[in-house]
Amino acid sequence: MDTNSTLPTNGRATAREGVDGMSSASEIRKPAQLPSRFDVPVSAIGPLFRARLDRIFPCRVDFDLDVNVRATARVLGGYYRSRRLVRLYVHDTEQGRRPLEELFDTFLHEIAHHLEYTEPGSFSARACGRVPGRMHSRVFWKILGELKYRWVCLQS
Ligand SMILES: [Zn+2]
């Protein structure tokens, strides 16, 4: 399985992937927000997120980024390993434009998948730690934690 989709499962918790029907991880879902009229243009999201990432972790292996305007009800994003493609879905079917910081959160999540495949050694891991049937390895969580930590440090 080389495709990861980011899917909320219910109103309370968010399972980032459900490809195999298992939710090995969950997150607290943010309260619904009205789309901000001050959101950056969709065309600016990709360059903005790449610039943010460069400040916290310059990737050794480049990736493609598709900021997709097709409205989705459940899927927030995905990483396609064979194409090294990160995809973000910016529109919610009911709520409209997803908040920028929620999109960035999804972006970091998918980048963590990219990094777990392309440079696990950068995170003191010998190899990608994927276990068949489980969407998120320990290495994945270590990488995502490090990315989020660096981003938070940059804000303060
Ligand atoms: Zn994931």
Side-chain angles (χ1 to χ4, degrees):
M1 186 75 67
D2 68 351
T3 299
N4 295 296
S5 296
T6 299
L7 300 163
T9 45
N10 58 48
R12 196 171 53 81
T14 297
R16 286 286 172 173
E17 264 94 40
V19 173
D20 60 356
M22 288 175 58
S23 318
S24 55
S26 62
E27 291 182 12
I28 304 300
R29 189 171 182 168
K30 290 178 185 170
Q33 296 175 33
L34 293 172
S36 164
R37 64 179 64 209
F38 303 110
D39 272 344
V40 300
V42 169
S43 61
I45 291 174
L48 173 66
F49 286 2
R50 281 184 181 275
R52 285 183 176 186
L53 181 62
D54 275 344
R55 295 171 66 201
I56 54 175
F57 193 91
C59 296
R60 285 186 201 162
V61 180
D62 199 16
F63 57 89
D64 282 329
L65 176 57
D66 174 33
V67 179
N68 200 294
V69 295
R70 183 168 72 81
T72 58
R74 299 178 64 228
V75 184
L76 303 177
Y79 178 68
Y80 303 83
R81 182 184 182 184
S82 57
R83 297 151 68 189
R84 289 184 181 143
L85 171 68
V86 168
R87 178 167 287 153
L88 302 177
Y89 291 104
V90 296
H91 290 288
D92 179 277
T93 311
E94 292 182 357
Q95 309 262 340
R97 178 77 170 271
R98 295 190 167 102
L100 190 69
E101 293 315 312
E102 181 183 327
L103 292 171
F104 187 61
D105 208 52
T106 301
F107 173 73
L108 288 183
H109 181 106
E110 307 306 348
I111 290 298
H113 279 301
H114 174 66
L115 292 172
E116 83 172 313
Y117 292 121
T118 56
E119 48 179 308
S122 301
F123 299 85
S124 310
R126 280 194 302 274
C128 172
R130 283 294 284 272
V131 176
R134 188 183 294 177
M135 273 300 160
H136 298 103
S137 65
R138 293 177 72 97
V139 174
F140 169 86
W141 290 118
K142 185 174 182 178
I143 294 169
L144 184 57
E146 179 69 24
L147 294 178
K148 289 190 171 185
Y149 176 72
R150 292 186 187 191
W151 178 243
V152 167
C153 289
L154 215 58
Q155 311 305 302
S156 55

